[in-house]
Amino acid sequence: MSDRTGDGRVFAAILAGGSGARMGNPDKPKQFYLLGGKPILVHTVEKFCMTGLFCEVAVLSPPTWMRQTRDLIEKHSPHYAGAVTVLEGGPTRSDTILNALRYFEGRYGSACDDVIVTHDAVRPFVSYRIIEDNVKAACLHGACNTVVPATDTIVESCDADTISSIPDRSKLYQGQTPQSFNLPKLKAYMEQLTESEKGSLTDACKIFVVNGERVVLVPGDVSNMKITYPQDMRIAEALIGE
């Protein structure tokens, strides 16, 4: 990818620490459900490996599923197994990302223009275009978020009972992943978080926003869906069939 800005290294962190509670099976994380004969996680990992854009791809797994994660990647995608590292995820999304940041810095050292691309393991339909655009935007601007324009009216309620406001839909977007960042800057911001802040933070981009940093938008795609509920699996199976 010769036209990206900077000479920093680019790393990928696939966040696979979620549970299967909303899929109706709390004993089996949703990223391990089969989709088109392969675990959802493997589809996602393959998308990142086949781009050829990354120095290393890390999968952050629940601690009790690390062995299964390695085995599934080796079984279903043996040609990429050697390029993927399985790491232990943390108790929160922030802790999981921090584990990836510390691993990459520990192994490769710290360079001021290194970039990390973070992505939900349960978004297996991410495209090469979205991944490449994330890398370019993070190299050039330091932080980016993948988004699609909001198509439904968003209603805000402060008391969960009545409408507080109805924002202008033309200014609203739905966040997806990847979210991509300058690696040392993200690590510095995340290490400043308190334990309480780590637990409440659901979006890494917010760290940059609250610190006055510019986060640019990368156009996503409605097909870059997050598989969360049983009905999502039916849609995903249809997309795989196509």
Side-chain angles (χ1 to χ4, degrees), residues 52-240:
L53 299 176
F54 300 98
C55 293
E56 188 170 353
V57 175
V59 176
L60 286 296
S61 169
T64 57
W65 282 80
M66 291 181 67
R67 181 62 193 176
Q68 292 94 324
T69 300
R70 293 190 190 96
D71 290 347
L72 288 170
I73 294 172
E74 289 173 1
K75 175 183 177 180
H76 293 279
S77 193
H79 47 298
Y80 288 133
V84 178
T85 299
V86 178
L87 305 176
E88 183 175 323
T92 68
R93 186 181 183 89
S94 297
D95 288 311
T96 296
I97 294 174
L98 255 177
N99 286 357
L101 294 167
R102 288 167 176 164
Y103 167 76
F104 289 133
E105 188 178 84
R107 179 169 183 184
Y108 295 93
S110 180
C112 65
D113 51 359
D114 284 349
V115 161
I116 184 168
V117 178
T118 68
H119 187 66
D120 297 326
V122 288
R123 290 187 187 269
F125 299 107
V126 63
S127 67
Y128 177 87
R129 192 274 301 167
I130 291 175
I131 296 172
E132 184 180 42
D133 285 355
N134 263 259
V135 173
K136 290 178 179 178
C139 288
L140 187 62
H141 302 286
C144 66
N145 192 12
T146 305
V147 301
V148 292
T151 56
D152 294 324
T153 297
I154 306 299
V155 175
E156 181 184 25
S157 175
C158 295
D159 60 5
D161 185 48
T162 58
I163 292 177
S164 304
S165 68
I166 301 178
D168 181 356
R169 189 175 66 190
S170 68
K171 299 178 181 178
L172 299 179
Y173 296 83
Q174 294 171 251
Q176 299 184 334
T177 63
Q179 294 180 329
S180 305
F181 310 93
N182 174 274
L183 191 154
K185 187 172 286 189
L186 178 62
K187 182 171 180 287
Y189 284 144
M190 287 202 132
E191 288 182 332
Q192 295 171 8
L193 295 173
T194 65
E195 290 304 313
S196 174
E197 288 171 334
K198 285 181 184 178
S200 62
L201 189 74
T202 59
D203 191 307
C205 286
K206 188 174 181 180
I207 304 175
F208 276 66
V209 174
V210 299
N211 281 281
E213 298 277 0
R214 184 168 179 255
V215 180
V216 301
L217 304 182
V218 169
D221 194 290
V222 292
S223 66
N224 182 28
M225 61 179 293
K226 184 177 183 180
I227 300 175
T228 304
Y229 299 102
Q231 58 266 32
D232 297 331
M233 283 296 293
R234 292 190 286 272
I235 298 171
E237 289 286 359
L239 288 171
I240 283 287

